[in-house]
Amino acid sequence: MKSLKTFARGLLAAAALCALATGTQARSFEDIKKDGKINIATEGQFAPFNYFQGARLSGFEIEVAEAMAARMGVKVEWKALGFDALLTGLRQDRWDMVIASHGITEERAKAVTFTDPHYCSGGVIIAKDAAVRTAKDLAGKSIAVQTGTSYLENVKKLAAVKEIKNFPQDTDARAALVSGRVDAWVTDKFVALNSLKANPDAGMKMGDFLFVERIASAVAKGNTGLAAEINKALAAIQADGSYAAISKKWFNEDIRCK
Ligand code: ARG
């Protein structure tokens, strides 16, 4: 009995030490408010949602996050990292929030806390061959997707696919299609529309949705106070017309979840 207690105490002490050493205590909204700035991580390679215009982060999600932060009364300190590092960094308290077009999935929700969705979209099939449009058409084909995405997860579910090629960046998955190394590319519908418009001579054609998803920001698992403040700010900018203006600017339509 006694040794069990001692063991438990030892475990607790070890956990506390770990938290100290790695700084695993997520910042509350109050901490952030006191500091005056919220640290937000994104990728910066997923136009038109988050991407670099020269040295400057730009895109729909950058503007939505800035508008939400303004509502919350804080400034944004941006960090740009590889897509794979974003959710992991939340667990290590390296930033307060992530906004990088993450679809809400059960798997991810085990590791992070999602906010309300800031847009609804889905993965579409893009190919050069107009006959490759639907999930069925992907049988026997090789497909390019970004590593760590819901596109990869959903393409994996297709039975008869010949090969899935993973790329750290979505822009490399697109390049694989354009150069003919794969038969199809699966990415977000609005990313696809943007790419088709930017590369009209590349011969890419957009097919059907493979799946649809709700896209949200994430905070550290259990940081529900911060999530609630972000949700309040999102609701406010959706109510006062500023979200609609940002959405129209980037997409010519309002892409909020209906
Ligand atoms: N919506 C997809 C997902 O949930 C892709 C997100 C990719 N985001 C990015 N910044 N590259 O996985």
Side-chain angles (χ1 to χ4, degrees):
M1 212 37 211
K2 190 159 179 213
S3 65
L4 243 188
K5 249 190 215 159
T6 319
F7 178 68
R9 225 180 283 136
L11 264 188
L12 270 181
L17 259 183
C18 265
L20 263 183
T22 55
T24 47
Q25 196 57 49
R27 297 202 305 166
S28 68
F29 179 60
E30 290 68 36
D31 297 336
I32 292 166
K33 194 86 195 197
K34 232 179 276 156
D35 182 29
K37 44 187 201 291
I38 183 166
N39 298 316
I40 308 183
T42 190
E43 186 201 27
Q45 308 292 342
F46 203 57
F49 291 105
N50 60 79
Y51 68 105
F52 281 94
Q53 265 184 333
R56 212 172 55 86
L57 262 179
S58 158
F60 172 73
E61 288 181 308
I62 306 305
E63 291 187 11
V64 165
E66 294 275 359
M68 293 196 296
R71 274 281 173 169
M72 291 157 68
V74 292
K75 290 225 149 37
V76 180
E77 182 109 349
W78 285 104
K79 320 221 177 264
L81 290 110
F83 184 68
D84 252 3
L86 298 172
L87 297 188
T88 321
L90 278 178
R91 248 189 291 177
Q92 302 156 342
D93 192 34
R94 290 168 62 202
W95 34 82
D96 305 306
M97 170 183 151
V98 167
I99 189 163
S101 287
H102 285 91
I104 300 175
T105 66
E106 244 174 71
E107 199 51 37
R108 287 171 177 163
K110 287 181 196 158
V112 301
T113 291
F114 278 110
T115 67
D116 291 337
H118 57 281
Y119 74 93
C120 269
S121 187
V124 290
I125 298 159
I126 304 103
K128 288 198 194 175
D129 180 351
V132 180
R133 301 186 49 88
T134 69
K136 247 179 44 216
D137 302 334
L138 294 179
K141 300 285 188 289
S142 63
I143 302 157
V145 288
Q146 183 181 19
T147 313
T149 59
S150 52
Y151 315 129
L152 173 61
E153 291 313 311
N154 282 277
V155 169
K156 270 192 197 160
K157 289 182 198 158
L158 302 172
V161 162
K162 181 171 144 212
E163 190 186 4
I164 306 174
K165 287 199 176 144
N166 276 275
F167 298 87
Q169 293 185 5
D170 191 56
T171 46
D172 295 325
R174 178 188 66 208
L177 172 66
V178 171
S179 65
R181 281 173 286 151
V182 294
D183 303 305
W185 165 43
V186 174
T187 191
D188 183 85
K189 172 190 156 189
F190 296 104
V191 170
L193 286 172
N194 189 65
S195 288
L196 264 55
K197 211 164 108 192
N199 308 279
D201 303 326
M204 294 185 281
K205 294 165 194 80
M206 192 170 102
D208 288 0
F209 271 119
L210 190 58
F211 65 99
V212 294
E213 60 181 353
R214 291 148 54 84
I215 308 286
S217 316
V219 298
K221 180 84 180 164
N223 197 353
T224 48
L226 177 58
E229 292 299 328
I230 295 168
N231 289 342
K232 249 197 267 172
L234 176 60
I237 64 164
Q238 289 194 327
D240 74 1
S242 44
Y243 174 98
I246 298 170
S247 187
K248 292 251 163 66
K249 169 183 160 186
W250 289 98
F251 306 107
N252 249 323
E253 62 178 297
D254 192 321
I255 66 167
R256 80 182 70 190
C257 298
K258 306 213 164 77

